[in-house]
Structures are given as structure tokens and as C-alpha cells.
Amino acid sequence: MDRADRTYALSMDDSDLNADTSLDPVFDPARDFRLDGKVLVVTGGGNGIGRAIAHAACRSGAMVHVLDRDAEAGARVVGELKEHGSAESHLLDITDEPAVEKVMRNIAAVRGIDVLVNNAGLAIRKPATELSREEWQRVVDVNLTGLFLCARTAARHMITSRGGAVINMASIMGLSGGGLYPNISYQATKGAVVNLTRALAVEWAPHGIRVNAIAPTWVRTEFIRPILDNPELIERIHGLTPLRRIAEPTDIAAAAIYLASPASRMVTGHILAVDGGFLAQ
Ligand SMILES: NC(=O)c1ccc[n+]([C@@H]2O[C@H](COP(=O)([O-])OP(=O)(O)OC[C@H]3O[C@@H](n4cnc5c(N)ncnc54)[C@H](O)[C@@H]3O)[C@@H](O)[C@H]2O)c1
């Protein structure tokens, strides 16, 4: 049996994996939705959804590490968090493998990594026939390869500390062909994130690592600035959404806190749509 197999077999037998079942049988929302003492890492935490998650996690008691390729944005968020708890920012492009390993190693060396929110992403919205190979590759590199590198690296640390939670940011466009405007590389990569989430959940469950994804609808951030600036498009989105509004970053942060917290301890491999009913139709 090689080392990886032995670790797997040992973990499968280890009663510690059931440690969560020894929790107080009374569900206490004031305790079980909190992240006190946890170390949470959020990529793309300098803006938009990642910033809202950093704020919510900090208020839930987590030590928050904001990773972003935009150093100024990351530092700004950490400045905002100072009065609510502890936070640090790290300059990181998630497509830079050695840098991902170095940043995660430095964070893990202090108090480990309990939660990774794999949130950084980008879109190049163009008709498929006009999308260059380089543009396709840029989206694949960030949304899929970078997300994988962060998950893999964080999981190596989580395995040594016997568990954790990974939350991947997918999209309703990972579960739908869309239709309002062309966005093929985004839809392809977010679809891949959906199934990567399921496969990693199965592979890492024996190590006590839960892997889930959030599939947001359109969220009010700079990411969709051209859409926010187009009233006709916004009206069409409202028409396609049973709850008749786009999401706010805090709507997504609420889902992330649930998936990070002990409240979701029996949930893994799940894709949580936060979409006002878009996918229910
Ligand atoms: N806003 C939406 O409508 C929406 C809907 C569904 C899913 N999402 C997803 O949510 C995530 C966050 O989106 P947002 O709306 O907050 O976007 P945003 O543009 O407001 O913020 C994204 C952040 O990620 C950072 N980032 C981008 N590439 C990076 C890289 N290679 N390395 C490190 N950091 C990087 C940016 O600097 C920025 O701070 C993305 O994965 C996006 O696909 C967004």
C-alpha cells in the first residue's frame, strides 16, 4: 500500500471522522452558524462577493485571510475589517502555482486552514465564434485551473489538520445555457466547477473535508457593471427571476457562512443555488 492509500484507509477507519456526531444533540443556531476560532481564506476577497464573505466571516468570529491579485483592494477590505475582528491581506494571482503554494503554506503555518472560499473569477462575454483561444484560456486559467490549484493546496494542509471546508463559487451559468448574452468560456468553466465540486467532495470526504459550491444568479458587483448599466437587460433578468430581483453580495455571503459553519456538517458535494428561483423553472 503506498502512502496515499494508507492515509485513505486509516482515515476511513478513524472514529474521529464521526467527531461531529458527538456534538451537543441540540442544534443551537447562535453557536452552530458561527466560525469562532476558524481560519477562513477567501480568494478574490478584495471586491464584490469575496468582500461580502470576508465581512460576514469576520463578524462570525473567523480569522480572515483576503487573497487578491489587486493588492490595494485586499488591503482596503482588511482595513474595513479591523474593528470587527482579525484579518490579513495577501497579494496573490491564483493562476501562479508557486505563489499559491507559498501563500497557503504561510497561512497554514500559523493556525492551519479551516475554510477555503474559492471565489476569484472572471468572464469574457463574447460570441463563441469571436472568442480567441487566448481569451478562452484566460478564463479557463482563472475560473478552473486557479480554483483547482487553491483547492488542492489548501486540502493538503486540511488533511494534515484532519478536516475543513472548501466552498467553490460556481454560477447559475454552470447549470444553464444562459441565453441573455454569449459567455461560453464562463459557462464551460462554471459547469466544470460544479462537477469538480462533486468529485472532490467524494475524494476528500474520508479526510473530513467537505466540498460544496454556491451557484449565484446575477449579483450586484462590478463584475456585471455592463449589465447593471443596461436597464433593458436588468428588466429581462427580473422577468426571468421568480423573486424578481438580482442578488446582493450579502445574499451570497449568507450561503457561504452556512456552508463554512458546523450547521452544514452533513452537507457535501452540494451546489447551493442562490438565484431567486431562476433554476427552479
Ligand atoms: N457578480 C455576479 O453576477 C456573479 C454571478 C455568479 C457568480 N459569480 C462569481 O462570483 C465570483 C466573484 O465575483 P464578483 O462578482 O465578486 O466579482 P468582482 O469582479 O467584483 O471581484 C472579483 C475579485 O476577484 C479578483 N480576482 C480576479 N482574478 C483573480 C486572480 N487570478 N487571482 C486573484 N484574484 C483574482 C479580482 O481582483 C476581484 O477583487 C466569481 O467567481 C464570479 O464568477 C458572480
Side-chain angles (χ1 to χ4, degrees):
M1 203 186 282
D2 70 25
R3 190 168 171 275
D5 286 345
R6 202 163 49 242
T7 310
Y8 194 86
L10 282 171
S11 300
M12 291 290 277
D13 289 341
D14 198 316
S15 58
D16 276 355
L17 286 179
N18 293 322
D20 280 349
T21 59
S22 67
L23 286 173
D24 185 340
V26 175
F27 180 76
D28 178 356
R31 175 194 61 198
D32 295 339
F33 280 104
R34 288 198 55 86
L35 302 177
D36 295 301
K38 304 274 185 213
V39 175
L40 180 143
V41 174
V42 53
T43 68
N47 287 292
I49 294 170
R51 171 175 171 264
I53 291 171
H55 270 267
C58 200
R59 285 169 169 80
S60 302
M63 162 76 201
V64 176
H65 292 273
V66 174
L67 279 44
D68 208 296
R69 69 176 173 189
D70 179 344
E72 238 176 75
R76 195 167 51 241
V77 170
V78 165
E80 294 165 0
L81 295 178
K82 280 284 178 261
E83 60 183 287
H84 303 290
S86 44
E88 272 177 28
S89 74
H90 308 259
L91 174 64
L92 177 70
D93 182 330
I94 61 165
T95 64
D96 180 344
E97 185 173 6
V100 168
E101 291 179 351
K102 186 172 172 202
V103 166
M104 297 282 186
R105 188 167 56 245
N106 289 345
I107 293 171
V110 183
R111 273 171 43 201
I113 298 174
D114 298 296
V115 182
L116 167 68
V117 184
N118 239 333
N119 165 76
L122 68 89
I124 300 178
R125 304 174 183 107
K126 275 188 173 183
T129 50
E130 290 167 26
L131 192 76
S132 70
R133 181 181 178 144
E134 289 68 31
E135 289 167 331
W136 164 270
Q137 195 60 48
R138 261 170 56 207
V139 177
V140 170
D141 284 347
V142 176
N143 292 7
L144 186 54
T145 309
L147 177 141
F148 168 70
L149 293 174
C150 290
R152 183 195 67 183
T153 310
R156 287 175 178 156
H157 295 289
M158 289 174 180
I159 286 169
T160 60
S161 56
R162 310 204 49 75
V166 176
I167 300 161
N168 296 322
M169 205 52 70
S171 166
I172 52 169
M173 291 307 151
L175 294 153
S176 145
L180 282 183
Y181 46 81
N183 204 0
I184 187 62
S185 50
Y186 188 77
Q187 283 155 329
T189 53
K190 293 298 184 179
V193 167
V194 165
N195 219 34
L196 170 147
T197 298
R198 296 179 180 129
L200 291 181
V202 173
E203 184 177 334
W204 292 342
H207 299 292
I209 302 172
R210 297 184 298 107
V211 187
N212 291 289
I214 299 172
T217 183
W218 289 270
V219 187
R220 193 187 310 279
T221 72
E222 287 308 304
F223 191 74
I224 60 160
R225 175 53 55 200
I227 297 158
L228 295 176
D229 289 343
N230 183 335
E232 195 191 314
L233 217 43
I234 289 291
E235 205 38 54
R236 286 177 67 195
I237 291 170
H238 288 178
L240 285 171
T241 309
L243 289 182
R244 295 198 65 78
R245 69 170 174 89
I246 65 167
E248 301 299 329
T250 49
D251 294 321
I252 315 306
I257 296 304
Y258 167 64
L259 291 174
S261 73
S264 63
R265 58 188 176 260
M266 192 56 179
V267 179
T268 197
H270 184 67
I271 316 301
L272 178 52
V274 182
D275 68 347
F278 179 93
L279 292 170
Q281 300 170 99

